[in-house]
Amino acid sequence: MVAARMERRLSAIVSADVVGYSRLMGIDEEGTLRRVKALRRDIMDPCVARKHGRVVKTTGDGFLVEFGSVVDAFHCACSVQRALITNSHGVADDQQLMLRIGINVGDIILDDGDVFGDGVNVAARLEPLAPIGGICVSRRAWEDLRRLGLPFEDMGEQKLKNIGEPIRAYQLAAEQIKAIPAEEEFEEVASIAPLSAKPGKRVAAPLVTAALLATVVGGWFALGGRGAEAAIQPNVRLGGFAIISPDVPRGLPEALHQELMAAFSIENAVTVVMSGDTRAARASPFLIDGSVREIDRLLRFTVNFKNDRSGVLLWSQTFDTPRVAEMLAPRQVAVSASQIVRCALWGAAAHSTTLTDKALSLYLQFCNEFWGGSSTEDRMLDAARRVTEAAPDFSFGWSARALTALPLTRREGFGKVDALRQEAAFAARTALEIDPQNPEGYMVQAGLLPLRAYAQREAMLNKAISVRPTECGCERQLYGDFLVSVGRMEEAVDQFQRGHDMQPLAPRSNVRLVHALYAVGRSDEADQILGKILEVWPYAASLQVMKIKSAFWTKRYPEALALLHDSALHLNSGSRDGLVATFEALQSGDASARARTIGQLKALSLDRRKNDRLVVSALAALGARTEAIDAAARLIEQNSIWVADVLFEPNLAAAANDPAYARLVTRIGLADYWRSTRHAPDLCRNPAAPSFCATS
């Protein structure tokens, strides 16, 4: 019998404790118990339900609550504190029922309904630091909450009991919380009787209607879906994987089964319903099964995704791996399949009604193109268009169309740019008209803004993060891309880390995080993450290219050359030859080889089809600052702000005092953005900061 797997997920944790509970019990034991129960029943529970949280446990004088969104956690905490402040009017100070609240965002472990881990412990340790009637939050929570523009007080680094590293904390006092404009849903708050009230009698309190409670408790599920009518829930059952060829190792099907369970559990967006849970199995129509066979020295895994209730095969995909890589194959197949299913169910679960089998099948095909590595961007866009034709009221179908049309607007020599921009804008607008909580719509609108609209773009990306109770991780990664493009690498690391936490096995989330870690000098961490993900995806081109690029900063030239000499690496011959020459020149230190290579790379940078980040990085590593800045300028002009990160990679950032560098950041509007927002880039914090930092 396989032991039950403990579930991990990223959550916002609220720890609340009654101030002076023992003293209150000494004054009026029965009255205090009655008031604490009323606090839970009339204020805490309705608030948690409205904000899609879960009361994990109560401890007489305390509460531990889990939320999928730190913004929801904070609003609920404010609602509770405001209600208690309101109810304390006219009550003697020594008889007031007040709370201290701590909030943290972190990785937690779920076991039999309870939660454990540092994510929980930090929240519990922050709670005693909160002022009476106030809230204390960790830096990680504050990063998400600061966009609300509230006057948090920085408490500095706090050494918390049994927590290894100091935690930076921020607080809001009771009076500050009282002054926060209430959301519409907070206008009616429950009241709790003061100690002098008679048993069984409460001050009149508006109650949440039964209909609302039914919608909240019965309809909202882990992904923040719409309501009880949204029948699609992100739950799947795992069936068997048949062995078709006699030479297939007997243990492969079970290994794939276990890896699928692990992949869904780690990414924490789709729940695997265990075969023994008959009640949950009846509620989940979706079944994953398939087969394994051997064909021409390849292992072929076929994964099917079915609506077992209707009998319709919604999606099927084959994954071929070399027989020599059979130990890695189950994990690679499981990760690939789970990302596609996760993509489809995460979007479909937000739809207000059940998607038809046809619409869901088409959306799965789009997710397969997006996550499975589409052969062309046009093919991906065609897949998204088919979704909107089949389900014109499906918000995530329209945002898929917008997301795939947007990159095509930047394709060189493409004659339909204006039409595609209009299509992307219309699709994003339609997605948000149907569902204002669709983060993908805001992500596309951010991408459609003019090059120099940095502040507006940042605000739009922050909105994408905040609108939905839970995230898929893509929002964090795109905001991290923005931060990198404006030189705020340290902040980008945090965003990429959060995106990585939600998609830890996807190559793209690892590449982003690793690149940012190298850029800020945290090479040991980057090496560790890159090495671990390469164990899963040893032949992933994006990871291999990242390893090659890292050699510009780590100076591991032999490793880079070995990868470049591998014919299996997908690079055009011009780029490969230029990089080989670069690392050979760096390794030898030969001045003539360096000069020849700079000329070779300069020729590549003048070809709009071959100029890329690697060319710019190579020129910068060779010390060709003028050529590197010119190549970076051409690259940004061609591809917009999203490639401006080349300006802040370590070797080129070292040229920030070059007048040409200052002219470039001024021309593309970065200097104005830094000055107007006071969000200075990391390089302006260096002792030898460039001249433009004086006005940033």
Side-chain angles (χ1 to χ4, degrees):
M1 180 176 178
V2 179
R5 183 183 298 275
M6 289 187 292
E7 180 185 350
R8 286 183 176 271
R9 66 182 179 219
L10 191 68
S11 294
I13 297 296
V14 173
S15 177
D17 201 60
V18 176
V19 178
Y21 181 72
S22 298
R23 175 179 50 78
L24 292 173
M25 290 289 284
I27 296 173
D28 183 351
E29 188 174 77
E30 291 184 3
T32 298
L33 287 173
R34 187 170 61 253
R35 295 169 71 216
V36 171
K37 287 181 180 179
L39 163 63
R40 165 78 189 268
R41 180 185 64 243
D42 296 336
I43 294 181
M44 181 71 74
D45 284 353
C47 172
V48 170
R50 283 196 302 271
K51 289 299 177 181
H52 330 306
R54 178 176 73 95
V55 176
V56 178
K57 67 172 72 171
T58 59
T59 56
D61 62 341
F63 309 89
L64 191 68
V65 190
E66 178 195 7
F67 293 86
S69 160
V70 68
V71 175
D72 283 344
F74 175 74
H75 280 316
C76 186
C78 286
S79 178
V80 171
Q81 294 290 47
R82 289 153 66 91
L84 292 176
I85 292 169
T86 299
N87 294 332
S88 67
H89 292 162
V91 180
D93 289 348
D94 65 344
Q95 296 182 358
Q96 292 178 0
L97 186 65
M98 303 294 286
L99 294 178
R100 288 188 175 96
I101 295 179
I103 303 177
N104 182 44
V105 175
D107 190 47
I108 65 170
I109 301 170
L110 282 82
D111 186 20
D112 195 25
D114 207 345
V115 294
F116 305 91
D118 278 352
V120 179
N121 297 337
V122 168
R125 300 303 183 197
L126 290 174
E127 172 266 306
L129 302 181
I132 295 174
I135 298 171
C136 180
V137 306
S138 65
R139 179 182 178 87
R140 194 163 186 185
W142 174 81
E143 288 286 352
D144 284 343
L145 297 172
R146 63 178 178 172
R147 74 175 71 89
L148 301 177
L150 299 175
F152 281 99
E153 178 187 342
D154 187 345
M155 302 170 67
E157 300 283 347
Q158 300 290 324
K159 181 63 179 174
L160 305 180
K161 184 178 179 181
N162 296 329
I163 304 297
E165 297 294 328
I167 301 294
R168 197 172 194 91
Y170 301 79
Q171 69 175 10
L172 278 177
E175 288 304 310
Q176 293 169 317
I177 293 172
K178 183 180 177 181
I180 296 172
E183 293 186 343
E184 182 179 352
E185 64 180 343
F186 295 159
E187 288 178 358
E188 294 182 345
V189 294
S191 293
I192 298 178
L195 285 172
S196 57
K198 300 295 183 183
K201 183 178 180 180
R202 293 198 309 276
V203 178
L207 300 178
V208 179
T209 66
L212 175 60
L213 279 175
T215 300
V216 173
V217 177
W220 279 87
F221 39 84
L223 291 182
R226 283 286 181 270
E229 75 278 11
I232 287 185
Q233 294 198 16
N235 301 332
V236 298
R237 291 177 292 126
L238 296 183
F241 287 85
I243 294 177
I244 296 178
S245 303
D247 294 334
V248 171
R250 301 291 98 182
L252 275 184
E254 177 59 23
L256 178 56
H257 190 280
Q258 294 299 320
E259 291 292 354
L260 279 166
M261 289 178 59
F264 282 124
S265 175
I266 289 171
E267 295 201 338
N268 189 36
V270 174
T271 300
V272 176
V273 177
M274 306 305 295
S275 57
D277 189 346
T278 55
R279 181 177 179 183
R282 284 195 299 272
S284 174
F286 302 120
L287 174 70
I288 295 176
D289 64 12
S291 62
V292 189
R293 69 175 68 192
E294 184 177 18
I295 299 178
D296 297 330
R297 302 173 66 86
L298 294 173
L299 287 172
R300 171 163 292 177
F301 294 80
T302 300
V303 179
N304 304 316
F305 184 77
K306 305 173 180 176
N307 184 336
D308 204 34
R309 201 170 287 162
S310 67
V312 174
L313 177 64
L314 299 170
W315 169 75
S316 182
Q317 182 67 30
T318 59
F319 301 88
D320 292 340
T321 62
R323 181 65 189 263
V324 295
E326 69 180 54
M327 298 299 291
L328 286 173
R331 176 165 294 182
Q332 292 176 345
V333 172
V335 172
S336 299
S338 68
Q339 288 173 342
I340 294 164
V341 172
R342 174 188 192 271
C343 164
L345 292 186
W346 194 79
H351 192 44
S352 58
T353 58
T354 306
L355 280 180
T356 65
D357 283 343
K358 178 182 178 181
L360 182 55
S361 179
L362 289 170
Y363 191 51
L364 276 156
Q365 290 174 33
F366 162 76
C367 291
N368 190 75
E369 294 289 335
F370 187 85
W371 285 100
S374 180
S375 55
T376 68
E377 290 172 321
D378 305 83
R379 181 170 168 171
M380 199 185 307
L381 178 56
D382 287 341
R385 285 168 173 164
R386 287 193 291 271
V387 177
T388 58
E389 290 167 4
D393 62 339
F394 178 35
S395 176
F396 277 79
W398 284 104
S399 60
R401 186 167 172 175
L403 283 169
T404 49
L406 181 62
L408 288 170
T409 64
R410 296 191 283 267
R411 194 162 71 180
E412 180 66 20
F414 196 62
K416 301 178 181 178
V417 169
D418 289 342
L420 283 166
R421 282 189 65 85
Q422 292 175 13
E423 180 175 359
F426 174 77
R429 188 167 60 251
T430 304
L432 292 173
E433 287 172 354
I434 297 170
D435 180 5
Q437 288 187 306
N438 183 342
E440 295 176 354
Y442 298 105
M443 290 158 64
V444 173
Q445 290 188 337
L448 288 167
L449 288 168
L451 168 65
R452 298 167 67 96
Y454 298 101
Q456 298 95 312
R457 185 176 293 110
E458 182 170 14
M460 193 70 74
L461 291 171
N462 273 318
K463 190 166 187 177
I465 291 173
S466 66
V467 292
R468 192 168 177 181
T470 56
E471 310 161 17
C472 76
C474 307
E475 309 93 334
R476 295 283 179 184
Q477 291 172 24
L478 194 61
Y479 184 42
D481 288 342
F482 169 81
L483 292 171
V484 166
S485 73
V486 297
R488 293 157 61 188
M489 292 284 188
E490 293 282 358
E491 294 176 75
V493 168
D494 182 59
Q495 296 301 320
F496 287 142
Q497 182 64 66
R498 297 193 194 192
H500 179 267
D501 289 345
M502 288 175 258
Q503 297 178 3
L505 301 176
R508 67 182 74 185
S509 64
N510 283 271
V511 166
R512 284 176 161 103
L513 175 58
V514 166
H515 179 272
L517 287 170
Y518 278 128
V520 299
R522 292 161 62 177
S523 297
D524 289 344
E525 293 174 65
D527 287 344
Q528 185 177 13
I529 294 170
L530 186 56
K532 187 175 295 185
I533 195 64
L534 276 167
E535 291 176 1
V536 182
W537 302 104
Y539 307 111
S542 60
L543 296 172
Q544 291 178 321
V545 169
M546 184 69 254
K547 193 169 182 66
I548 291 169
K549 189 175 182 180
S550 71
F552 288 130
W553 314 311
T554 63
K555 305 188 187 307
R556 296 175 189 145
Y557 307 137
E559 290 182 20
L561 286 167
L563 285 169
L564 286 165
H565 287 308
D566 185 350
S567 59
L569 179 66
H570 296 292
L571 275 179
N572 68 66
S573 58
S575 296
R576 188 191 300 267
D577 293 344
L579 290 170
V580 168
T582 299
F583 287 117
E584 288 178 344
L586 290 169
Q587 186 169 250
S588 68
D590 182 81
S592 60
R594 174 183 170 277
R596 285 195 306 273
T597 304
I598 290 173
Q600 185 178 351
L601 292 169
K602 184 176 179 180
L604 288 174
S605 74
L606 294 171
D607 187 334
R608 295 170 71 92
R609 297 167 301 173
K610 297 179 180 178
N611 188 28
D612 60 17
R613 290 178 172 94
L614 286 171
V615 171
V616 177
S617 294
L619 285 166
L622 289 166
R625 292 182 173 180
T626 300
E627 292 83 354
I629 293 170
D630 288 345
R634 285 189 288 272
L635 189 62
I636 294 168
E637 179 185 355
Q638 180 182 350
N639 295 283
S640 188
I641 184 61
W642 301 107
V643 295
D645 58 278
V646 295
L647 293 171
F648 309 104
E649 71 98 27
N651 290 316
L652 190 53
N657 281 299
D658 190 304
Y661 191 102
R663 287 195 296 272
L664 177 55
V665 298
T666 299
R667 187 169 79 243
I668 64 176
L670 279 175
D672 285 342
Y673 162 74
W674 294 329
R675 181 170 54 252
S676 63
T677 63
R678 300 190 180 276
H679 290 317
D682 295 350
L683 56 81
C684 286
R685 301 192 186 103
N686 297 332
S691 58
F692 56 76
C693 291
T695 57
S696 297

